[in-house]
Amino acid sequence: MSKVKPRHSSGKIRNNIDNIVGAGGGMILVELAQNLPEGNFCRSWLIILAPALTLMIKYAWTLISPEVAQLFKSIRADIARKRIIRKIEALLADPDISEAEKTKLRQKKEQAKLSAVESIQQYLDAIAA
């Protein structure tokens, strides 16, 4: 029995997103140019240069999008880390929790704080590679 191949590889989807961003940027430039007054010298230049500018927008998006995705992942991880630290601190303040459990919670809090350093180190390693 042969394996079923996925319809789209992530590379094709990624390329499609880049194309959509580039085309959208080009369409915005043409719309901007068409909304300029008839005598404006930039109007004709924007319409003429729209295809080349579209390719530059696509290329810039290709370079920037991995960094933007990494930034959003980092922000989400920081939010989750802060949330878990706040919850642990609230549990540590609870007098009903035993000292053995509080010790485990303190260790988890320490691990959460250290995970920030580990994620930054992984990011630096990825850049250096």
Side-chain angles (χ1 to χ4, degrees):
M1 183 181 244
S2 65
K3 291 184 178 179
V4 177
K5 292 183 180 178
R7 294 185 105 188
H8 301 288
S9 69
S10 63
K12 287 183 181 178
I13 292 172
R14 175 86 192 121
N15 194 22
N16 287 342
I17 292 171
D18 293 345
N19 289 338
I20 291 168
V21 168
M27 294 290 290
I28 290 171
L29 286 173
V30 170
E31 282 294 318
L32 175 68
Q34 289 177 347
N35 287 328
L36 290 174
E38 195 64 39
N40 193 324
F41 75 95
C42 292
R43 179 184 172 132
S44 60
W45 281 107
L46 278 175
I47 292 173
I48 292 168
L49 294 176
L53 293 174
T54 298
L55 293 175
M56 288 193 295
I57 291 169
K58 178 185 183 273
Y59 180 71
W61 177 257
T62 304
L63 293 177
I64 293 171
S65 64
E67 293 295 322
V68 171
Q70 179 63 34
L71 176 67
F72 283 125
K73 285 180 186 177
S74 174
I75 289 171
R76 285 193 307 262
D78 286 343
I79 290 170
R81 201 173 289 118
K82 288 176 184 176
R83 185 183 309 155
I84 196 166
I85 289 172
R86 278 195 314 263
K87 287 186 184 242
I88 289 172
E89 287 172 349
L91 288 171
L92 288 173
D94 188 353
D96 296 334
I97 296 179
S98 69
E99 281 303 315
E101 291 299 321
K102 286 184 179 183
T103 303
K104 290 179 188 177
L105 287 172
R106 285 186 194 101
Q107 289 174 348
K108 288 183 182 194
K109 182 179 173 182
E110 186 177 320
Q111 288 173 351
K113 287 181 178 181
L114 291 176
S115 70
V117 175
E118 290 173 7
S119 66
I120 292 170
Q121 183 63 45
Q122 289 173 352
Y123 177 71
L124 291 175
D125 291 343
I127 290 174

